[in-house]
Amino acid sequence: MEELNSKYRGLSQAEAEARLKKDGYNELPTSKPRTIFNIIWGVLSEPMFILLVSCAVLYLLLGNLEDALVLIVSVIIVMVIDIVQEGKTDKALEALKNLSSPRALVIRDGEQKRIPGREVVVGDLIILAEGDRVPADAFILKNEQLNVDESLLTGESVPVRKRVWDGKESAPQPGGEDLPCVYSGTLVVSGRCIAQVYATGAKTELGKIGKSLEGLQEEKTKLSRDTNKLVKNFALFGLFICALVIITFYFTRKDLIQAFLSGITLAMSVLPEEFPVILTVFLALGALRLSKKNVLARRAQSIENLGAITVLCTDKTGTLTYNKMSLQKIWGKESSHSISLKKIQRDQEKDIDLLFYSVLASMKNPFDPMERAIHKALKDFDSSIYEKYEELQLIKEYPLTDSCRAMTNVWKDGNSDNLIAAIKGSPETVMDLCKLDHISREKEMQKMSQMAEEGLRVLGVGLSKVKSADLPEEQAGFDFQYLGLIGLADPIRENVPAAVKECYRAGIRIIMITGDYIGTAKAIGRQIGLKNVDNVITGSELDTMTDEELKERVQNVTIFARVVPAHKLRIVQALKANNEVVAMTGDGVNDAPALKAANIGIAMGQRGTDVAREAADLVLTDDDFSSIVSGIRMGRRIYDNLRKSFTYVFSLHVPISGMSLIPAMFADFPLIFYPVHIAFLELIIDPACSIVFEMEKEEEDIMDRPPRDPNAPLFGKKMVIIGMLQGLAVLVVLALIYFWNLNNGVVPAKNRAMVFTTMVFSNLMLITTNRSWEKNLIQILKTPNPSMIYLLLGVFVVVILATNIPAVINIFHLANLNLIEFIVCLFAGNISVLWFEIYKAINGKKALI
């Protein structure tokens, strides 16, 4: 076995890639990915395709081989379009799966590196800390008081203690104390370790029972349930109308086969089978678009709720700020003023002691950015003093807890029995443990306020000298000597003030939640542009409030200061009790209940624990507040475009159904739409509703609107009315052309050609006008949407061919149209949606919002 220090280099990237290729991804057995055959079968089993195939079979029975072949070709084309869309959706979901894979901190080529948990391989060195989910089964090489919750495997809720692997023993089964292994899926409750992976994926203890995960289905969202209900209602209506047409057609024309063809045509025209496709494509591609904005949507429900957020509760450190601390000032107990780190003199022993003991009170190999800044400050000031620190031996750690907001490290110098205990934490806690008298405490509190008002994060520092045999059980047992204060700065992110301003424009209230002192919180609040920064509630005040009092106070509060993660849950509950839609950020294990309780929980992707990410709906991959605002904007866009797409589909089915129904009810009226026409219109509808609208840019004022009502239906009464009016307007135009031609003795093929061509142009106009509910047609056409251009060109080419080329004319059962007739159809198609453009102009931005 190699020496421990050499193992800290870990695998090389090349070795890791080779093992990943050999062993596969570190994933549990789950439901198998859909094959191309699964997708094809899913497409073929849709009602629309069953109807198209039924029509083709009927044409074959009638001996009409040409029409049967046309429908079969249509089936294949529409199938290809759907397969491409399904494939794009699956790729989007696979990309999201890769992004949402739990992260792991590994050592490769001697450097720490964050990778998706699914890319961990056998032999990798993984670093685990409190709140991490173990990515694979591994032997422990270095252990710092590691305790792990293994209830997932053993059923025992009490965390178990771990020890270092001796390098020889084989991996034991999980269960019991002092095992040298950690197991995939378990949770680190406290401590840290470095471990070497020996099993991944199905070979882990969790993987051996992973078969039970196969076939698990995700619960459908409210939006999905509403959509399916809508489709079922339309399907029942279509079935009823279909039966009515078949019966009426048979009794008026005595032709059973044609009656069935007419009934099936009408059913095809009524059935809005695009709705589920739209929803699937929008949510999958929308989630992928969000990921490109550094927002990972772990649940589809979160995309639905983004546009409804009314209150955004955000952490300060790392979200509003860079989380890149630097030690700026120190203020010793006996000093009259604070001293910039750059101005500390080499002979100012007490100031140097304050800096030195602040390092002793930090983790030896820190992950926390403040502690890294403290280490860096001493190292930069005097590397020889830092070398003296490195010679000390860490004996015991007293971690920071919710009840004691300070941490203490006990150190031993050589063979001496004298130990040094250094404490660092919130100034109030450190002053209490140092037992400062009232006058001294007031003096130090004034210093703290002055530093905090400069926007500094202030910590108190103290020390105690004890004998090795006299170590107390708790920090309160030490006889600490107070040394002074240190102030660290964490600059705000440059893009946060603009993002805050955008939130206020969008009707979203921002609440900052921080463990910092009030002065620091207010200083940061003013820098980022928070309103009413003087409306502050502290953690101690919150503890004394009843739920009713908090519910009342939270309506106006802007900052919660000096709070602990456990307070977040009460804050969320109070806001929700006021009917707010709450988004809450968090990163720690203790944040998980609040993230779960919030309407949208937002976890930090970089500094957040796995527990927080698992409880959250969204994960910020860059921990940046502005990414939340970008996510809200994107969420509003997705929901907006979804409504436009649904309105378009609904409105289009009205004239198709009407022109299929009217002629079928009367024996003397020639039929207009045959199955081939409906199939062609489907070729336009499918890419239009799920690609053109999905790619459409957001409205310019999308962040100037108030949040939407989360309980409002996607396709409400106003949407139904608008869609119905759009469809009826087109139907009226088509009916006028139809009856005008009928009264003037125009042959059925010519009549059909004009009505069909007008329908196609009206369809294109419906797509165009619904791309924006605020802009006029000229503004819409100036807004780029590449998919719309390809659709327009393709449709125009087919229409020209279908009304001018004899072979294509026969396929569509049409007649040749001259230039004047073609222009009439184009003009009529434009006129059919003119009223909606007038409506938008009159109502302006209030048209459909």
Side-chain angles (χ1 to χ4, degrees), residues 652 730 733-734 757-767 825 828-830 832-833:
L652 185 63
V730 175
V733 171
L734 297 180
T757 304
T758 304
M759 177 72 238
V760 172
F761 290 145
S762 297
N763 186 3
L764 294 178
M765 289 304 297
L766 281 173
I767 297 170
C825 294
N830 289 329
S832 64
V833 297

Side-chain angles (χ1 to χ4, degrees), residues 260-519:
F260 271 103
L261 282 171
S262 295
I264 292 173
T265 300
L266 184 62
M268 291 167 61
S269 68
V270 171
L271 183 66
E273 54 88 30
E274 301 88 1
F275 283 172
V277 176
I278 297 169
L279 185 63
T280 303
V281 171
F282 268 65
L283 292 184
L285 296 184
L288 191 60
R289 288 186 189 279
L290 279 172
S291 71
K292 293 176 181 177
K293 298 286 185 181
N294 300 313
V295 180
L296 174 59
R298 298 188 67 251
R299 299 176 181 88
Q301 187 77 34
S302 61
I303 299 176
E304 300 174 26
N305 288 338
L306 272 171
I309 294 172
T310 60
V311 177
L312 176 53
C313 299
T314 177
D315 289 324
K316 177 184 73 67
T317 304
T319 307
L320 300 175
T321 62
Y322 278 106
N323 201 21
K324 294 179 180 178
M325 304 294 290
S326 62
L327 186 58
Q328 298 288 316
K329 290 185 176 183
I330 64 172
W331 199 335
K333 180 183 178 183
E334 298 177 7
S335 299
S336 58
H337 59 275
S338 62
I339 301 173
S340 170
L341 189 64
K342 297 178 181 179
K343 296 182 179 180
I344 298 177
Q345 301 298 318
R346 303 270 171 185
D347 58 352
Q348 291 176 318
E349 187 175 333
K350 291 185 177 179
D351 289 332
I352 295 173
D353 282 348
L354 176 55
L355 183 58
F356 179 72
Y357 287 111
S358 67
V359 174
L360 261 60
S362 304
M363 298 289 287
K364 189 159 189 176
N365 297 300
F367 292 92
D368 182 84
M370 287 195 299
E371 295 192 338
R372 285 184 177 181
I374 294 169
H375 275 262
K376 185 177 185 301
L378 180 60
K379 192 181 294 185
D380 291 346
F381 175 74
D382 193 329
S383 58
S384 62
I385 298 179
Y386 193 81
E387 289 171 3
K388 178 183 176 183
Y389 152 76
E390 290 182 317
E391 294 172 358
L392 299 176
Q393 180 184 356
L394 182 63
I395 300 299
K396 186 175 177 62
E397 296 179 29
Y398 296 83
L400 180 146
T401 64
D402 285 349
S403 58
C404 182
R405 304 295 294 169
M407 64 175 292
T408 298
N409 288 337
V410 182
W411 301 84
K412 183 177 181 181
D413 186 1
N415 296 321
S416 172
D417 289 335
N418 294 324
L419 303 178
I420 302 171
I423 185 172
K424 167 180 63 64
S426 78
E428 300 98 323
T429 303
V430 173
M431 291 177 204
D432 288 341
L433 293 175
C434 291
K435 301 178 179 62
L436 289 188
D437 59 63
H438 179 72
I439 295 175
S440 297
R441 182 184 176 87
E442 286 297 315
K443 182 179 178 181
E444 293 303 312
M445 289 295 289
Q446 288 177 8
K447 293 180 182 178
M448 181 180 67
S449 297
Q450 185 175 326
M451 294 177 75
E453 286 171 3
E454 297 175 23
L456 299 177
R457 176 74 180 269
V458 186
L459 298 174
V461 180
L463 75 93
S464 176
K465 295 184 179 179
V466 293
K467 296 289 185 181
S468 57
D470 297 334
L471 289 180
E473 291 294 323
E474 297 180 351
Q475 296 182 74
F478 286 100
D479 184 17
F480 285 114
Q481 173 190 347
Y482 182 75
L483 295 178
L485 303 169
I486 60 174
L488 300 101
D490 182 11
I492 65 167
R493 297 177 184 264
E494 289 87 352
N495 51 12
V496 168
V500 169
K501 189 176 181 180
E502 191 169 16
C503 277
Y504 285 137
R505 283 201 347 257
I508 301 170
R509 184 158 67 100
I510 300 174
I511 296 176
M512 183 170 72
I513 300 175
T514 178
D516 270 348
Y517 176 65
I518 293 176

Side-chain angles (χ1 to χ4, degrees), residues 102-394:
R103 303 177 315 147
L105 182 61
V106 300
I107 302 175
R108 288 185 180 171
D109 294 313
E111 296 182 357
Q112 295 181 18
K113 184 179 181 182
R114 286 280 183 189
I115 63 171
R118 68 195 298 261
E119 295 179 8
V120 169
V121 298
V122 173
D124 259 329
L125 294 184
I126 54 176
I127 300 175
L128 299 171
E130 178 182 340
D132 286 345
R133 186 72 68 179
V134 180
D137 291 2
F139 289 117
I140 298 172
L141 303 183
K142 183 178 180 182
N143 179 20
E144 295 181 7
Q145 300 179 349
L146 188 71
N147 286 275
V148 182
D149 178 357
E150 296 183 346
S151 57
L152 180 70
L153 297 174
T154 65
E156 296 295 329
S157 58
V158 178
V160 293
R161 185 176 59 249
K162 295 293 180 178
R163 64 175 173 83
V164 172
W165 181 49
D166 65 8
K168 299 177 181 179
E169 57 190 310
S170 57
Q173 293 291 313
E177 298 273 2
D178 293 321
L179 296 182
C181 303
V182 287
Y183 302 98
S184 177
T186 59
L187 175 67
V188 177
V189 175
S190 62
R192 297 187 303 165
C193 80
I194 297 176
Q196 187 174 42
V197 174
Y198 66 82
T200 60
K203 296 180 181 179
T204 63
E205 294 297 324
L206 184 61
K208 293 173 184 177
I209 60 173
K211 288 289 182 182
S212 61
L213 298 176
E214 291 186 1
L216 288 180
Q217 299 292 324
E218 288 189 11
E219 183 182 352
K220 290 186 176 180
T221 67
K222 177 182 180 295
L223 200 56
S224 180
R225 293 194 299 270
D226 290 348
T227 301
N228 289 337
K229 183 179 179 181
L230 191 64
V231 172
K232 287 178 181 178
N233 290 338
F234 271 101
L236 291 174
F237 176 71
L239 187 63
F240 171 76
I241 295 295
C242 176
L244 180 64
V245 167
I246 292 173
I247 294 170
T248 305
F249 194 101
Y250 177 73
F251 280 106
T252 57
R253 308 195 188 198
K254 305 300 181 181
D255 188 336
L256 185 60
I257 299 296
Q258 285 295 336
F260 271 103
L261 282 171
S262 295
I264 292 173
T265 300
L266 184 62
M268 291 167 61
S269 68
V270 171
L271 183 66
E273 54 88 30
E274 301 88 1
F275 283 172
V277 176
I278 297 169
L279 185 63
T280 303
V281 171
F282 268 65
L283 292 184
L285 296 184
L288 191 60
R289 288 186 189 279
L290 279 172
S291 71
K292 293 176 181 177
K293 298 286 185 181
N294 300 313
V295 180
L296 174 59
R298 298 188 67 251
R299 299 176 181 88
Q301 187 77 34
S302 61
I303 299 176
E304 300 174 26
N305 288 338
L306 272 171
I309 294 172
T310 60
V311 177
L312 176 53
C313 299
T314 177
D315 289 324
K316 177 184 73 67
T317 304
T319 307
L320 300 175
T321 62
Y322 278 106
N323 201 21
K324 294 179 180 178
M325 304 294 290
S326 62
L327 186 58
Q328 298 288 316
K329 290 185 176 183
I330 64 172
W331 199 335
K333 180 183 178 183
E334 298 177 7
S335 299
S336 58
H337 59 275
S338 62
I339 301 173
S340 170
L341 189 64
K342 297 178 181 179
K343 296 182 179 180
I344 298 177
Q345 301 298 318
R346 303 270 171 185
D347 58 352
Q348 291 176 318
E349 187 175 333
K350 291 185 177 179
D351 289 332
I352 295 173
D353 282 348
L354 176 55
L355 183 58
F356 179 72
Y357 287 111
S358 67
V359 174
L360 261 60
S362 304
M363 298 289 287
K364 189 159 189 176
N365 297 300
F367 292 92
D368 182 84
M370 287 195 299
E371 295 192 338
R372 285 184 177 181
I374 294 169
H375 275 262
K376 185 177 185 301
L378 180 60
K379 192 181 294 185
D380 291 346
F381 175 74
D382 193 329
S383 58
S384 62
I385 298 179
Y386 193 81
E387 289 171 3
K388 178 183 176 183
Y389 152 76
E390 290 182 317
E391 294 172 358
L392 299 176
Q393 180 184 356
L394 182 63

Side-chain angles (χ1 to χ4, degrees), residues 544-560:
T544 63
M545 292 182 189
T546 65
D547 290 342
E548 283 300 316
E549 288 173 335
L550 180 59
K551 178 184 172 182
E552 181 67 27
R553 288 284 306 279
V554 81
Q555 294 182 44
N556 301 309
V557 72
T558 299
I559 296 173
F560 284 90

Side-chain angles (χ1 to χ4, degrees), residues 623-826:
D623 294 5
D624 190 343
F625 176 82
S626 63
S627 294
I628 304 176
V629 183
S630 296
I632 294 172
R633 171 183 284 271
M634 182 62 70
R636 289 189 175 193
R637 168 191 164 176
I638 293 168
Y639 196 86
D640 228 19
N641 288 345
L642 199 56
R643 294 170 73 209
K644 294 173 185 177
S645 185
F646 271 39
T647 302
Y648 155 70
V649 171
F650 178 73
S651 65
L652 185 63
H653 279 275
V654 173
I656 297 176
S657 303
M659 292 310 297
S660 299
L661 180 62
I662 293 172
M665 302 300 289
F666 303 95
D668 298 332
F669 290 1
L671 296 177
I672 292 296
F673 291 146
Y674 290 172
V676 66
H677 302 128
I678 306 300
F680 176 73
L681 290 171
E682 282 294 319
L683 294 179
I684 303 175
I685 296 170
D686 274 4
C689 65
S690 56
I691 297 178
V692 173
F693 285 105
E694 196 282 328
M695 292 182 68
E696 190 64 29
K697 290 184 177 181
E698 69 269 15
E699 302 283 9
E700 291 179 357
D701 72 330
I702 200 163
M703 292 299 282
D704 293 322
R705 310 173 189 171
R708 66 174 179 83
D709 181 357
N711 298 316
L714 171 69
F715 204 58
K717 291 180 180 178
K718 193 169 184 179
M719 303 282 291
V720 171
I721 293 171
I722 293 294
M724 182 65 74
L725 289 175
Q726 285 183 347
L728 286 175
V730 175
L731 179 58
V732 168
V733 171
L734 297 180
L736 287 173
I737 292 175
Y738 177 74
F739 286 111
W740 172 271
N741 288 334
L742 205 60
N743 291 334
N744 287 277
V746 176
V747 296
K750 174 78 75 172
N751 194 355
R752 185 178 301 113
M754 292 191 69
V755 173
F756 176 70
T757 304
T758 304
M759 177 72 238
V760 172
F761 290 145
S762 297
N763 186 3
L764 294 178
M765 289 304 297
L766 281 173
I767 297 170
T768 305
T769 193
N770 278 299
R771 282 176 54 195
S772 174
W773 290 331
E774 297 170 8
K775 299 174 183 175
N776 58 44
L777 275 175
I778 303 300
Q779 292 170 322
I780 292 173
L781 293 174
K782 288 181 178 180
T783 304
N785 189 326
S787 58
M788 186 67 194
I789 295 173
Y790 296 134
L791 184 68
L792 285 170
L793 292 175
V795 170
F796 265 97
V797 168
V798 174
V799 169
I800 291 171
L801 292 175
T803 54
N804 288 278
I805 306 301
V808 184
I809 287 174
N810 291 334
I811 291 174
F812 282 94
H813 304 280
L814 304 178
N816 180 262
L817 295 181
N818 59 41
L819 182 59
I820 294 176
E821 290 167 338
F822 191 84
I823 292 174
V824 167
C825 294
L826 181 60

